[in-house]
Amino acid sequence: AQKITQTQPGMFVQEKEAVTLDCTYDTSDPSYGLFWYKQPSSGEMIFLIYQGSYDQQNATEGRYSLNFQKARKSANLVISASQLGDSAMYFCAMRGSNDYKLSFGAGTTVTVRA
Amino acid sequence: DTAVSQTPKYLVTQMGNDKSIKCEQNLGHDTMYWYKQDSKKFLKIMFSYNNKELIINETVPNRFSPKSPDKAHLNLHINSLELGDSAVYFCASSQRGQAFSGNTIYFGEGSWLTVV
């Protein structure tokens, strides 16, 4: 079974600054995928970024990057140059090699201040 | 075009009623899901179908019944609605029939169910 832990229930960040959202996981699968999703106040779930457990490099997608530390079982999301539109809830999720489903963390709410 | 669409988006109904939420995906994916998001925003898998075959059936009251007429559609029917069923229900889909950790799961916009 997969377990995802997001220890930060809420964070504030100043516009144009970077913010790091923590995510740790636990799994016995040798191969797995890590995902981050954004849920704005409108409610939809938006896929942001993916990291495979065997990927040599950390994933990046525009202003999003994933700080993947396999030995520490962490997959932190870094949002650079925060914008007001980044205010949302962010979910870390994981899928094992034999899993059809994604298992989610509890989420972190980010509020960007002007 | 919306990739994963679900209807209705908002549903207010009385206890004891039966209701359905419909979902369609135009991504050509083989696998579809229903997730429930509770009042604390926690997301939990309910069901998953792969090519119309039920592959995940989590501990969900049997008042909830999924139906997949084809691999592009997955509907959720709920009988005898209870107050505790109030939540956001998300439909989702992913590519390929095999479990593969790298396949992204794409979500619909959610259906807000309120039972009064």
Side-chain angles (χ1 to χ4, degrees), chain B residues 56 68 86 103 112 114:
Chain B
I56 296 176
S68 181
S86 295
N103 287 339
W112 273 251
T114 303

Side-chain angles (χ1 to χ4, degrees), chain B:
Chain B
D1 284 345
T2 303
V4 182
S5 59
Q6 50 185 114
T7 56
K9 184 163 184 176
Y10 300 102
L11 183 56
V12 180
T13 188
Q14 290 189 328
M15 277 195 304
N17 284 351
D18 302 339
K19 291 294 177 185
S20 292
I21 306 171
K22 296 184 177 182
C23 179
E24 176 181 4
Q25 54 95 4
N26 63 6
L27 297 168
H29 290 168
D30 294 319
T31 308
M32 296 185 71
Y33 308 81
W34 279 109
Y35 276 82
K36 179 181 180 180
Q37 187 173 41
D38 62 23
S39 58
K40 294 184 179 179
K41 301 291 188 179
F42 187 71
L43 279 150
K44 188 175 179 182
I45 184 74
M46 299 175 69
F47 303 103
S48 178
Y49 272 75
N50 183 39
N51 279 325
K52 301 192 295 177
E53 180 185 353
L54 182 65
I55 55 171
I56 296 176
N57 186 355
E58 293 289 299
T59 307
V60 176
N62 58 15
R63 298 182 295 103
F64 291 78
S65 55
K67 286 186 180 176
S68 181
D70 55 62
K71 72 174 190 177
H73 296 83
L74 179 61
N75 303 324
L76 182 65
H77 188 75
I78 315 171
N79 289 327
S80 304
L81 278 155
E82 301 177 357
L83 293 176
D85 297 331
S86 295
V88 183
Y89 294 85
F90 283 98
C91 178
S93 73
S94 68
Q95 195 173 13
R96 291 170 61 173
Q98 298 171 5
F100 177 63
S101 59
N103 287 339
T104 299
I105 294 181
Y106 294 94
F107 286 80
E109 294 185 335
S111 294
W112 273 251
L113 173 64
T114 303
V115 183
V116 297

Side-chain angles (χ1 to χ4, degrees), chain A residues 27-49:
Chain A
T27 182
S28 56
D29 269 334
S31 175
Y32 49 88
L34 295 153
F35 302 79
W36 279 91
Y37 287 82
K38 172 184 178 182
Q39 187 176 37
S41 58
S42 51
E44 69 268 33
M45 292 286 291
I46 303 167
F47 165 69
L48 294 179
I49 194 168

Side-chain angles (χ1 to χ4, degrees), chain A residues 53-83:
Chain A
S53 59
Y54 286 107
D55 291 345
Q56 295 297 316
Q57 294 188 325
N58 286 343
T60 60
E61 287 287 348
R63 295 186 298 110
Y64 304 108
S65 59
L66 206 153
N67 183 3
F68 179 48
Q69 298 186 48
K70 191 171 182 178
R72 299 179 67 177
K73 294 189 175 180
S74 73
N76 299 339
L77 177 70
V78 180
I79 307 173
S80 62
S82 295
Q83 302 171 357

